[in-house]
Amino acid sequence: METVQLDKDVFQTTAANGVRVLSERVGAVRSVAVGIWVRSASVHEARHQMGVSHLLEHMVFKGTARRTAQQIALELETRGGSLDAYTSRDTTAFQARVLDADLPRALDVLTDLVRQPTLRQGDLDLERNVILEEINTVQDTPDDLVFDLTAEALWPEHPYGYSILGTRESVSDLSAEDLRRLHRRAYYPGNCVIVAAGNLEHQALLDLVAQQGWFEATNEGGEQAPQPEVEAAVRGREVRRPKDTAQTHIVLATDTVQFADPRKYALMTLANVFGGGMSSRLFQRVREELGLAYAVYAYSHFYRRVGVLGVYVGPQPKTAAQAVDAIRSEYARLAREGLGPDVLERAKRQTQGQLMLMLESPTSRMYRLASLAVHGESYRSLDATLGDIASLTVAQTAAVAREFFAPERQTMVWLGPN
């Protein structure tokens, strides 16, 4: 095994079988956040099996070789801890937050879930209905549904455009053997990253990981499905989906840069000025000056191969066109003018403050370490990252604004009454 010190209290160990273990000591707390990230998710799915990664994430909680579903639920909750999981575009994560003394128990439960789920057909018959109800919930929640429709509009032929939940048809066709096949193929040590942050020592974490067999286990039978190459998203498209709603839900979005691209800090800073809070241009123009919507904001996401920058607004149908015109005008202004020196300095301080506040909890620090590991970005200390943001220039942000905020680049999705 190779262990390197990445920062004062940050360590990374890579075992011969490929599993990576990262930790950050936060001595001022009495808790630990610990998680296992599997580098397998919706981006690795075939269209006819859309949603299989998310369904597997649910199914591991139905029972393991050593625990029933109820025992899994009780194991940490009765000690004040929590256990959760999620499926994203790039990864599936299983995580716990516990008192520091309960780290061994938490890692045992997480290992049990990831390595030894029973995946019984009878459990699938029940859990499938839960997933179908989750899909129904999204269908009945237009301000969620519009984002699924936006991903599909941007990447109609690529898994980045698939619904993470899947469709009613694809989920209904999945079998227990499909889940077992995915588990055998993707849930092997070399495809996993184990991360912890809180009141712990790295060597003690390694000892616990070794006790759970992560270092001795082989990768036999494991073979991650290849991730399809990502071409440029569809740009400048307009999609209208009729739905009987009180509001028209609109997203304008485009593809941007991948997680490891240093331009993401310029994008984050620009997005803050554009629609990142009450002081942002979109909030001031669309809500405060024109009174066209209660909710209007910009967002940015960064995946392993690509990123997304977008704007959401929820106006009344009769004022939807006026809201879009106002947003497009702000897009054009930012693309044309960039940010002046004073505005840029304020925006950089805002972005730096958000990053620092985000890392106040062990869970957030765990997420940060895991994101770097699974998205292929070299570790950067918080101070170095803050320095990267501080060094942004007017010319750099102007170039990013011209490329990614051009109004003609944005694909627009409307969901609401005709």
Side-chain angles (χ1 to χ4, degrees), residues 121-262:
Q121 183 66 47
D123 292 329
L124 173 58
D125 294 338
L126 293 174
E127 195 64 22
R128 191 195 318 274
N129 290 329
V130 174
I131 301 297
L132 293 175
E133 286 307 311
E134 190 174 359
I135 292 172
N136 289 339
T137 299
V138 172
Q139 293 293 323
D140 285 344
T141 311
D143 53 345
D144 284 343
L145 177 60
V146 71
F147 289 99
D148 276 357
L149 297 175
T150 300
E152 182 182 11
L154 290 171
W155 289 285
E157 302 300 330
H158 189 276
Y160 273 134
Y162 295 174
S163 166
I164 292 174
L165 302 183
T167 66
R168 294 188 184 95
E169 293 74 21
S170 65
V171 171
S172 296
D173 288 342
L174 292 170
S175 67
E177 183 53 35
D178 291 325
L179 300 180
R180 296 186 196 106
R181 189 178 301 112
L182 173 58
H183 186 267
R184 287 192 300 267
R185 190 187 74 225
Y187 281 51
Y188 60 92
N191 205 35
C192 293
V193 176
I194 302 172
V195 186
N199 190 26
L200 80 161
E201 298 291 343
H202 188 71
Q203 185 57 53
L205 175 64
L206 292 180
D207 293 342
L208 293 173
V209 171
Q211 290 171 18
Q212 294 296 329
W214 282 96
F215 298 144
E216 289 76 20
T218 69
N219 296 325
E220 184 178 351
E223 184 180 359
Q224 175 62 295
Q227 180 173 333
E229 290 298 323
V230 185
E231 298 180 355
V234 176
R235 299 168 184 168
R237 180 186 182 191
E238 183 173 327
V239 176
R240 292 180 181 254
R241 179 72 66 88
K243 192 173 182 65
D244 185 15
T245 57
Q247 292 178 305
T248 299
H249 300 269
I250 302 169
V251 171
L252 296 90
T254 188
D255 56 324
T256 61
V257 302
Q258 62 190 18
F259 188 95
D261 192 311

Side-chain angles (χ1 to χ4, degrees), residues 8-289:
K8 180 178 180 241
D9 293 306
V10 181
F11 294 85
Q12 174 181 276
T13 297
T14 304
N17 61 9
V19 64
R20 295 170 67 182
V21 182
L22 295 98
S23 75
E24 180 171 6
R25 174 171 171 77
V26 184
V29 300
R30 292 294 307 274
S31 64
V32 173
V34 58
I36 299 173
W37 272 255
V38 184
R39 295 188 185 93
S40 179
S42 65
V43 75
H44 303 100
E45 295 173 355
R47 182 178 291 277
H48 72 280
Q49 290 199 320
M50 193 187 304
V52 63
S53 301
H54 177 253
L55 182 55
L56 177 56
E57 174 229 308
H58 273 239
M59 280 292 293
V60 303
F61 286 87
K62 304 306 290 183
T64 71
R66 295 191 289 122
R67 292 178 173 92
T68 65
Q70 185 177 32
Q71 287 171 331
I72 291 170
L74 291 171
E75 195 81 45
L76 301 182
E77 286 188 3
T78 56
R79 303 177 72 85
S82 61
L83 183 64
D84 200 2
Y86 69 85
T87 303
S88 69
R89 299 286 180 196
D90 291 321
T91 61
T92 306
F94 304 87
Q95 62 208 22
R97 178 80 186 276
V98 293
L99 297 176
D100 49 16
D102 289 328
L103 176 58
R105 181 186 295 258
L107 190 59
D108 181 55
V109 173
L110 289 170
T111 300
D112 204 19
L113 290 174
V114 171
R115 301 296 302 281
Q116 301 185 76
T118 50
L119 304 178
R120 294 180 291 254
Q121 183 66 47
D123 292 329
L124 173 58
D125 294 338
L126 293 174
E127 195 64 22
R128 191 195 318 274
N129 290 329
V130 174
I131 301 297
L132 293 175
E133 286 307 311
E134 190 174 359
I135 292 172
N136 289 339
T137 299
V138 172
Q139 293 293 323
D140 285 344
T141 311
D143 53 345
D144 284 343
L145 177 60
V146 71
F147 289 99
D148 276 357
L149 297 175
T150 300
E152 182 182 11
L154 290 171
W155 289 285
E157 302 300 330
H158 189 276
Y160 273 134
Y162 295 174
S163 166
I164 292 174
L165 302 183
T167 66
R168 294 188 184 95
E169 293 74 21
S170 65
V171 171
S172 296
D173 288 342
L174 292 170
S175 67
E177 183 53 35
D178 291 325
L179 300 180
R180 296 186 196 106
R181 189 178 301 112
L182 173 58
H183 186 267
R184 287 192 300 267
R185 190 187 74 225
Y187 281 51
Y188 60 92
N191 205 35
C192 293
V193 176
I194 302 172
V195 186
N199 190 26
L200 80 161
E201 298 291 343
H202 188 71
Q203 185 57 53
L205 175 64
L206 292 180
D207 293 342
L208 293 173
V209 171
Q211 290 171 18
Q212 294 296 329
W214 282 96
F215 298 144
E216 289 76 20
T218 69
N219 296 325
E220 184 178 351
E223 184 180 359
Q224 175 62 295
Q227 180 173 333
E229 290 298 323
V230 185
E231 298 180 355
V234 176
R235 299 168 184 168
R237 180 186 182 191
E238 183 173 327
V239 176
R240 292 180 181 254
R241 179 72 66 88
K243 192 173 182 65
D244 185 15
T245 57
Q247 292 178 305
T248 299
H249 300 269
I250 302 169
V251 171
L252 296 90
T254 188
D255 56 324
T256 61
V257 302
Q258 62 190 18
F259 188 95
D261 192 311
R263 288 178 294 171
K264 72 179 179 183
Y265 297 117
L267 278 163
M268 292 164 59
T269 302
L270 287 162
N272 272 330
V273 172
F274 196 53
M278 290 190 296
S279 63
S280 69
R281 294 179 178 183
L282 291 182
F283 191 96
Q284 289 296 313
R285 178 64 175 158
V286 175
R287 176 167 164 165
E288 296 298 288
E289 294 179 21

Side-chain angles (χ1 to χ4, degrees), residues 295-326:
V296 57
Y297 58 86
Y299 65 92
S300 57
H301 301 311
F302 303 100
Y303 307 123
R304 185 173 180 86
R305 299 283 185 84
V306 74
V308 179
L309 170 75
V311 168
Y312 167 85
V313 66
Q316 297 180 50
K318 65 182 180 180
T319 59
Q322 186 182 355
V324 168
D325 287 344

